[in-house]
């Protein structure tokens, strides 16, 4: 098993969530309007899950060439709030062969500064 270099992200900001809403087109107010997030029982705004998945994808493309990526699946595990500092961690679990191509298989995790897992994922990349 090989551990991959961690990707450390700066703290999530409310401004970042508003910008992400504009970039993604996801204007659900639970991500940007504090009173709506509170009324929804979330205790304020929450980060877009796809933003957190984007951080995981950023790590993957730092670890491997985008052309070598064969699959990438994630499960969201916990809500992320402004102020949290996230780190993407990854590891190679093994190798496989599919359609005559050698591949590396691995896992990644996005965690906050307390170690709470926000996202878990699996990936396969061509072994080069």
């Amino acid at each position: 098993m090989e551990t991959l270099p961690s990707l450390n992200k700066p703290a999530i900001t409310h401004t970042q969530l508003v910008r992400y809403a504009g970039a993604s087109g996801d204007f659900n107010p639970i991500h940007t309007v504090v009173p709506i997030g509170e009324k929804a029982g979330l205790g304020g705004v929450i980060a877009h899950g796809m933003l957190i998945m984007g951080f995981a994808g950023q790590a993957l493309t730092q670890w491997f060439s985008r052309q070598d990526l064969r699959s990438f699946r994630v499960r969201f595990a916990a809500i992320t709030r402004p102020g949290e500092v996230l780190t993407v961690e990854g590891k190679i679990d093994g190798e496989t062969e599919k359609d005559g191509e050698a591949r590396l298989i691995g896992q990644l995790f996005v965690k906050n500064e307390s170690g709470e897992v926000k996202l878990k994922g699996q990936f396969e990349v061509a072994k080069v």
Side-chain angles (χ1 to χ4, degrees):
M1 177 173 23
E2 176 187 350
T3 301
L4 299 164
S6 297
L7 172 66
N8 301 307
K9 300 298 294 182
I12 301 285
T13 66
H14 193 158
T15 300
Q16 181 181 25
L17 298 181
V18 172
R19 288 181 176 167
Y20 185 80
S24 68
D26 181 352
F27 292 102
N28 187 328
I30 64 170
H31 300 300
T32 56
V33 182
V34 173
I36 298 294
E38 290 173 345
K39 191 173 181 178
L42 299 171
V45 296
I46 62 172
H48 303 75
M50 294 304 288
L51 174 64
I52 310 310
M53 185 177 177
F55 295 160
Q58 179 185 5
L60 268 175
T61 58
Q62 288 185 358
W63 298 331
F64 307 101
S65 167
R66 193 176 348 176
Q67 294 85 353
D68 295 330
L69 182 62
R70 298 297 182 259
S71 71
F72 174 36
R73 299 180 305 271
V74 303
R75 286 191 152 255
F76 299 103
I79 289 172
T80 301
R81 301 178 187 285
E84 290 188 90
V85 177
L86 302 180
T87 300
V88 184
E89 301 172 354
K91 61 182 179 179
I92 303 294
D93 289 332
E95 297 182 24
T96 189
E97 184 175 317
K98 191 169 187 177
D99 301 326
E101 179 181 64
R103 295 182 180 184
L104 301 173
I105 54 176
Q107 298 179 57
L108 57 77
F109 303 89
V110 179
K111 299 178 181 177
N112 71 4
E113 64 274 26
S114 300
E116 181 183 26
V117 176
K118 303 296 185 173
L119 175 147
K120 301 175 186 176
Q122 298 86 40
F123 61 86
E124 286 186 21
V125 294
K127 183 178 178 184
V128 289

